[in-house]
Amino acid sequence: MTLRIGVIADDFTGATDIAGFLVSAGLRTAQLNSPKHAPENLDADAVVISLKTRSIPAQEAIEQSLGACRVLRQLGAEQIIFKYCSTFDSTAAGNIGPVTDALLEELGEDFTVVVPALPVNGRTVYQSNLFVHHQPLHESGMKDHPVTPMTDSNLLRLMEAQGSGTAAPVPFAIVEQGPDAVREALDQARAEGARYAVLDTLNHDHLDTIGQATTGLRLLTGGSGIGAGLARALTGQSVQQDQAEAPDPADHDAVSPAEDWSFTSGAAVVISGSASQMTNRQVQAYSAHAPHTALDIPRVIDDAAGYLAELSSWVLDNSTSDDAAPMVYATAAPEAVRQWQQSYGAERLSAAIEDFFGQLAARLRSEGVTRFIVAGGETSGAVTQALGVDGFEVGPQIAPGVPWTRSLESDPQRRIDLTLKSGNFGDPDFFRTAVQMSAGQSNNDQPNNGQPDAAQQEEDR
Ligand SMILES: Nc1ncnc2c1ncn2[C@@H]1O[C@H](COP(=O)(O)OP(=O)(O)OP(=O)(O)O)[C@@H](O)[C@H]1O
Ligand SMILES: O=C(O)[C@@H](O)C(=O)CO
């Protein structure tokens, strides 16, 4: 069996995001939470390795990404995708540029593509500028991100500032002409000395064109959209099929068909550590529906042990309704986040909150909680690592890019269900939809069965 695609994801929500799309495009996909957990005989078309390298020092991100790349190559991966955020989340020092350069060198290549677009979630690239719905990236909620505020929308500039080479644009007029024109543009950019090509991407068809034009590249970089485009190019599946049909994973242990998916019956909890605009709305909407408590940040810093015991009792005491799981959240408006950061220091505070959520999740698991709904990429990484989950089976999507997953366990009794939601993904009712889905209730009465609603998306703008 040939492993076609190996993915190195720089955070955990990003990993489940792309894994969900690879599964939807018909690839038998395994997701591992560390290169250490690669089984010797893996029968899959794609393997996604989740790292937590988005905002760590660049050198560490490089080392971990190279480690993952080597494992994927040992497994036989023909093409590597470096998956980063559809909003290009990165610090001034990287890590997207430095990791891309290191992977190019590792693979003996000198050229790759930059494709963060995910049109189904409003992320498009036009004239090399990244948009979040109608706003350029630097005017979107990403300008206020607590860890990786994005203040430039121009991907050529961002890539050249972070990486070691020059970036060339491939404008949408060329992408519109189809795969041959894109291949030609890529060959020309490379011949003229560019190291990165930034491809305009306005819609699904563009992703498919880019996927078809890049089946010969050893390294691709971008969001889950390029994963979907490449996977569809390899399986010959159309966008329409992808959206209409579940994959047929019957012959593969690491993927379960959405319709056969079942959930554990233990208690559920919502843990929200994202401070994104959409998560703020989701927390607000869910607060009207379920028991909720905002994290007491001074206690996280000064009295973590006592607070942990208190909060886990609160969660268990409030786990009375199957479809209204309790929610603990750090999520706050940008001004409040800035004030907390001024008081405690941004890095220290982020690490303390993530660590606290990780410990809380581990404690709740030991007390019988088995369904975890987590918001925020860094937060999800901390929670998943603290739960000691080695890998996932990828299940039904709650919203585009947000599937339910379950932990791979040698002892099925230890299995837990998790969904890891990227900060800005999902509609305002996401938490309720996720909880109800996992409580075995029909999701059919939710608008568009968890897909974003056009009117709602318009309102979100
Ligand atoms: N009230 C708060 N004050 C300060 N920092 C906060 C607060 N709430 C959350 N944070 C921190 O902000 C960071 C949010 O990052 P995280 O990756 O979890 O969410 P996100 O960036 O919205 O999600 P994604 O990466 O999936 O888009 C975390 O480090 C979290 O601990
Ligand atoms: O690409 C995205 O937007 C997400 O998968 C993500 O990486 C958020 O952390």
Side-chain angles (χ1 to χ4, degrees), residues 9-18 21 54 83-89 116-118 121 123 145 222-225 376-378 401 420-425:
D10 72 349
D11 84 343
F12 279 61
T13 48
T16 54
D17 172 15
I18 192 165
F21 279 108
R54 189 169 287 177
K83 158 72 180 74
Y84 43 78
C85 194
S86 62
T87 44
F88 209 82
D89 298 14
L118 184 59
N121 281 348
R123 277 72 161 152
H145 192 281
S224 53
E378 297 297 318
L420 310 178
K421 189 195 79 70
S422 296
N424 274 309
F425 284 7

Side-chain angles (χ1 to χ4, degrees), residues 41 46 73 77 108-109 135 168 171 207 236 256 321 382 394 415 436 443:
N41 297 314
R73 289 182 79 196
E109 298 288 324
Q135 289 176 310
L207 283 177
S256 291
S321 161
V394 180
R415 205 189 89 191
Q436 291 185 345
N443 195 34

